[in-house]
């Protein structure tokens, strides 16, 4: 079990309210991702749930029990950090076994649990090594193994992959997802990377300045961002946001259109523009197009082998059924 509920939880450091009162429910077995720019309060929120910070107000409830005043070790949660925090002088086996030794569990039981964790993390061949003899990805797996043996009701991950290089990050992302499929335990995963959020989450919680901007599945957020912040934050490259007269035509203060929802047409486009930069990625090409009357260049996604370069004129046609409309206060027009 691992249903986590926050009721009117807030956090103030000194006289700075980092997290105004918020409500949130993470369901048992869910993979929830807290995402938002650096400094928005993701780690603070996770630490409040873990009990590493005291709440300034509100209640935290795990599986129906109020744990707001309960010490971290008694909450049944396990946290994995960006810095692996392994003991360098201990072997992998001893590092993973560490929390169980603290509980004074029988050695035979410890060995069995360590073996199971090591198997599910492909660490069996490394149990006698020390952390210094492992790659970054393997070290992070050891840190996860140390969390697994505690059999927590939920795992809390704080940017666990930030220290790894890009290729390794993609691999570890898949491993953590496979682990979630296997264990079916609640996981809360903090990241500033919206791609990680989109690819991993059952439920994304978008935060800005300690405020929850939207909660939903990746596709809900992609298809119907609640406000301009979420519209600009979710999706890569970013959604084009256009204000002024062009938006007024659609009865909005700002309209949004994603790069993949603008077609390049031979004639009869809505916007005529000049290509400033074309980024050829092989699979796709991203064109940055200057259009008269639109302040920012529009980003347009096209096929990989389009023969368009700097200075070329193009005619653009937005798919009107994919248009997002926002009011003056930034909220989506339904
Ligand atoms: P994130 O993890 O999203 O980058 P944090 O939760 O670490 O953000 O921080 C949110 C805000 O709270 C930041 O402005 C940070 O400076 C502030 N903060 C975090 N911890 C403390 C603390 N112990 N004392 C004072 N301010 C803090
Ligand atoms: Mg953080």
């Amino acid at each position: 079990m691992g249903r986590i509920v926050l009721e009117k939880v807030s956090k103030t450091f000194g006289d700075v309210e980092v997290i105004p009162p918020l409500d949130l429910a993470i369901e048992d077995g869910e993979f929830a991702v807290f995402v938002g720019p650096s400094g928005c309060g993701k780690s603070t929120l996770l630490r409040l749930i873990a009990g590493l910070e005291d709440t300034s107000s509100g209640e935290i409830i795990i599986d129906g029990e109020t744990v707001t005043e309960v010490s971290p070790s008694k909450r049944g949660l396990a946290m994995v950090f960006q810095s692996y925090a392994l003991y360098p002088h201990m072997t992998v086996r001893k590092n993973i076994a560490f929390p169980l030794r603290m509980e004074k569990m029988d050695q035979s039981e410890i060995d069995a649990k360590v073996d199971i964790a090591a198997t599910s993390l492909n660490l069996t061949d490394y149990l006698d090594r020390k952390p210094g003899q492992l790659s970054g990805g393997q070290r992070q797996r050891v840190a996860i193994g140390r969390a697994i043996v505690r059999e927590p009701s939920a795992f809390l991950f704080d940017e666990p992959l930030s220290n790894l290089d890009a290729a390794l990050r993609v691999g570890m992302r898949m491993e953590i997802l496979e682990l979630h499929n296997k264990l079916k335990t609640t996981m809360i995963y903090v990241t500033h990377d919206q791609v990680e959020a989109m690819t991993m989450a059952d439920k994304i919680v978008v935060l800005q300045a300690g405020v929850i901007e939207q909660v939903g599945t990746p596709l809900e957020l992609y298809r119907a961002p609640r406000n301009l912040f979420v519209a600009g934050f979710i999706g890569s490259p970013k959604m084009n946001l256009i204000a002024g007269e062009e938006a007024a035509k659609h009865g909005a203060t700002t309209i949004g259109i994603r790069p993949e929802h603008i077609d390049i047409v031979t004639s009869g486009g809505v916007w005529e523009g000049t290509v400033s930069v074309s980024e050829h990625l092989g699979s796709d090409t991203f064109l940055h197009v200057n259009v008269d009357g639109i302040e920012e260049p529009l980003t347009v996604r096209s096929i990989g082998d389009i023969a368009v370069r700097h200075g070329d004129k193009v005619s653009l046609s937005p798919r009107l059924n994919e248009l997002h409309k926002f009011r003056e206060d930034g909220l989506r027009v339904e």
Side-chain angles (χ1 to χ4, degrees):
M1 288 284 283
R3 182 169 196 267
I4 300 171
V5 176
L6 309 189
E7 287 181 357
K8 308 255 175 314
V9 166
S10 75
K11 181 63 182 175
T12 303
F13 288 114
D15 49 11
V16 182
E17 190 176 53
V18 171
I19 298 180
L22 61 75
D23 295 315
L24 181 65
I26 311 293
E27 301 305 327
D28 182 34
E30 204 162 47
F31 197 110
V33 175
F34 296 171
V35 69
S38 180
C40 72
K42 305 177 296 291
S43 295
T44 303
L45 198 54
L46 203 66
R47 292 169 61 81
L48 288 169
I49 293 170
L52 299 172
E53 297 281 358
D54 292 330
T55 55
S56 301
S57 72
E59 300 291 352
I60 298 173
I61 299 146
I62 301 177
D63 292 329
E65 239 177 89
T66 302
V67 298
T68 321
E69 308 289 326
V70 173
S71 71
S73 62
K74 302 242 160 65
R75 293 192 186 191
L77 309 173
M79 194 143 169
V80 179
F81 300 93
Q82 175 183 342
S83 60
Y84 324 115
L86 301 178
Y87 298 103
H89 58 285
M90 289 187 195
T91 61
V92 167
R93 178 182 291 283
K94 288 220 159 116
N95 265 287
I96 296 177
F98 189 78
L100 305 182
R101 290 163 67 102
M102 289 290 101
E103 289 174 23
K104 308 220 181 324
M105 190 179 276
D106 275 359
Q107 191 58 46
S108 59
E109 211 177 330
I110 292 178
D111 288 342
K113 285 186 195 286
V114 170
D115 284 339
I116 292 170
T119 304
S120 64
L121 292 163
N122 295 320
L123 284 172
T124 307
D125 294 341
Y126 303 95
L127 284 171
D128 297 323
R129 292 204 196 174
K130 300 218 169 122
Q133 300 165 301
L134 300 177
S135 70
Q138 289 165 338
R139 281 180 218 174
Q140 192 52 285
R141 292 213 291 269
V142 176
I144 295 171
R146 196 172 46 186
I148 290 178
V149 292
R150 296 178 52 200
E151 297 172 2
S153 59
F155 291 87
L156 311 180
F157 293 96
D158 193 352
E159 311 232 14
L161 309 185
S162 300
N163 282 346
L164 306 180
D165 67 47
L168 208 51
R169 254 194 331 254
V170 174
M172 278 301 288
R173 218 152 78 188
M174 294 308 132
E175 284 186 30
I176 292 175
L177 283 181
E178 275 169 28
L179 192 68
H180 181 248
N181 289 340
K182 229 181 293 181
L183 300 176
K184 300 189 174 21
T185 307
T186 308
M187 294 188 176
I188 305 181
Y189 187 102
V190 161
T191 179
H192 63 275
D193 179 353
Q194 65 89 27
V195 175
E196 271 185 18
M198 287 297 281
T199 52
M200 297 181 84
D202 296 320
K203 176 191 275 176
I204 298 181
V205 179
V206 182
L207 289 159
Q208 185 194 200
V211 173
I212 295 179
E213 297 285 354
Q214 189 166 4
V215 178
T217 66
L219 285 183
E220 281 166 358
L221 269 54
Y222 175 82
R223 290 192 179 130
R226 249 191 93 233
N227 57 33
L228 280 173
F229 179 79
V230 179
F233 191 76
I234 298 288
S236 175
K238 282 155 102 81
M239 183 190 286
N240 296 290
L241 295 171
I242 306 165
E245 263 176 54
E246 207 49 55
K249 284 181 202 163
H250 298 276
T253 306
T254 308
I255 55 171
I257 183 86
R258 294 198 183 276
E260 55 271 44
H261 296 146
I262 301 178
D263 294 313
I264 297 179
V265 292
T266 42
S267 65
V270 173
W271 297 312
E272 304 297 327
T274 309
V275 174
S276 64
V277 178
S278 62
E279 295 176 281
H280 289 279
L281 301 183
S283 55
D284 307 288
T285 306
F286 292 108
L287 304 176
H288 301 270
V289 182
N290 291 314
V291 174
D292 276 348
I294 298 180
E295 204 168 321
E296 299 277 320
L298 296 180
T299 308
V300 179
R301 178 180 166 196
S302 189
I303 53 172
D305 57 0
I306 188 171
V308 171
R309 53 177 63 210
H310 170 79
D312 284 355
K313 304 269 183 227
V314 287
S315 189
L316 303 176
S317 176
R319 297 182 204 163
L320 292 179
N321 59 338
E322 302 284 4
L323 212 58
H324 303 262
K325 300 178 195 177
F326 302 95
R327 313 189 306 205
E328 190 169 3
D329 61 4
L331 279 183
R332 179 183 192 82
V333 179
E334 290 311 324

